[in-house]
Amino acid sequence: GAVVSQHPSRVICKSGTSVKIECRSLDFQATTMFWYRQFPKQSLMLMATSNEGSKATYEQGVEKDKFLINHASLTLSTLTVTSAHPEDSSFYICSAREGGAGGKTGELFFGEGSRLTVL
Amino acid sequence: AQSVTQPDIHITVSEGASLELRCNYSYGATPYLFWYVQSPGQGLQLLLKYFSGDTLVQGIKGFEAEFKRSQSSFNLRKPSVHWSDAAEYFCAVGARSSASKIIFGSGTRLSIRP
């Protein structure tokens, strides 16, 4: 299957700093990527839909100025947590749908996740 | 609005026993349904998916799921579980469009009793 890679897998930062997480589709192009957040022992909460070449679409209750998403190419989307605080500590997972527009299989491939800890 | 319900938060079964994880969905059109597995601290891996056709879907690792439209269910089954199956299992529903969201259930944690 297709591969989605996230980097870094773990990051620890001080409160008030910004952290960038990368999501790459390694062997396919993805016009759309999705960013999820997962709290301990909970399900995945969709944060935003990242669209190549245009603004991301955020879910209700997600601060777009806090969680900046950039999808500059068909293989890369980035999530920047700005002015991070301890409550932003979480497991962030990205996914991409193979096949570009129309998604021929509909299957989402997930990255390995990035665990953010804000001190 | 689309939603997914996994009524069982935690299930424990003995190694070698059969398994069924429940999933019910609410969706306005014919849904596309997925089961994912997540090991601790890891990303998600697709076990199987249903798009159309045969309502009994075979997946990896010996898992299968059956789509029952009349019951709005997509339960996951395995005839004989292995200790390595201990993980978190998520049912999800979505549509075919590449821009369409996939919504996840709350997950079921599976523990295996030796």
Side-chain angles (χ1 to χ4, degrees):
Chain A
V3 177
V4 175
S5 177
Q6 266 184 258
H7 178 80
S9 58
R10 292 179 182 271
V11 56
I12 300 174
C13 69
K14 293 182 179 180
S15 185
T17 61
S18 295
V19 174
K20 180 184 287 187
I21 302 170
E22 294 185 347
C23 178
R24 293 181 184 275
S25 56
L26 296 187
D27 50 4
F28 67 99
Q29 293 184 336
T31 56
T32 304
M33 293 184 175
F34 303 90
W35 286 96
Y36 292 85
R37 181 175 182 176
Q38 186 179 34
F39 291 100
K41 300 186 185 302
Q42 295 190 29
S43 188
L44 284 76
M45 180 191 75
L46 180 65
M47 298 174 65
T49 302
S50 170
N51 304 296
E52 188 269 334
S54 65
K55 292 182 179 180
T57 303
Y58 290 82
E59 295 300 301
Q60 190 173 9
V62 178
E63 300 176 60
K64 59 182 180 182
D65 295 330
K66 159 69 85 174
F67 300 100
L68 299 179
I69 292 173
N70 184 279
H71 194 156
S73 77
L74 287 171
T75 59
L76 173 64
S77 175
T78 61
L79 169 69
T80 301
V81 183
T82 63
S83 186
H85 288 92
E87 57 265 30
D88 298 324
S89 299
S90 192
F91 193 55
Y92 293 88
I93 304 177
C94 74
S95 66
R97 198 187 296 263
E98 185 179 23
K104 64 179 180 180
T105 69
E107 178 178 345
L108 275 183
F109 293 94
F110 285 82
E112 311 92 331
S114 300
R115 183 164 302 284
L116 170 63
T117 302
V118 184
L119 302 177
Chain B
Q2 62 195 64
S3 66
V4 181
T5 302
Q6 292 180 249
D8 303 307
I9 297 173
H10 183 203
I11 285 181
T12 300
V13 300
S14 298
E15 189 169 15
S18 63
L19 170 72
E20 181 169 33
L21 301 183
R22 295 184 291 167
C23 173
N24 293 95
Y25 67 89
S26 173
Y27 197 72
T30 301
Y32 293 105
L33 296 158
F34 309 84
W35 273 100
Y36 288 87
V37 60
Q38 183 183 33
S39 297
Q42 302 293 314
L44 277 73
Q45 181 183 26
L46 179 69
L47 287 176
L48 47 80
K49 60 182 183 274
Y50 170 76
F51 282 178
S52 64
D54 192 346
T55 56
L56 184 62
V57 180
Q58 301 297 320
I60 62 172
K61 303 183 180 184
F63 286 93
E64 66 177 28
E66 186 171 12
F67 170 57
K68 293 185 177 180
R69 185 188 300 274
S70 61
Q71 299 178 20
S72 298
S73 69
F74 189 57
N75 295 348
L76 181 72
R77 300 193 295 252
K78 186 170 184 177
S80 176
V81 298
H82 186 261
W83 64 266
S84 60
D85 293 325
E88 189 86 20
Y89 291 80
F90 294 98
C91 182
V93 63
R96 188 169 191 170
S97 165
S98 67
S100 179
K101 299 179 286 188
I102 285 186
I103 303 301
F104 286 83
S106 53
T108 297
R109 183 161 61 95
L110 174 64
S111 298
I112 306 297
R113 190 184 303 119

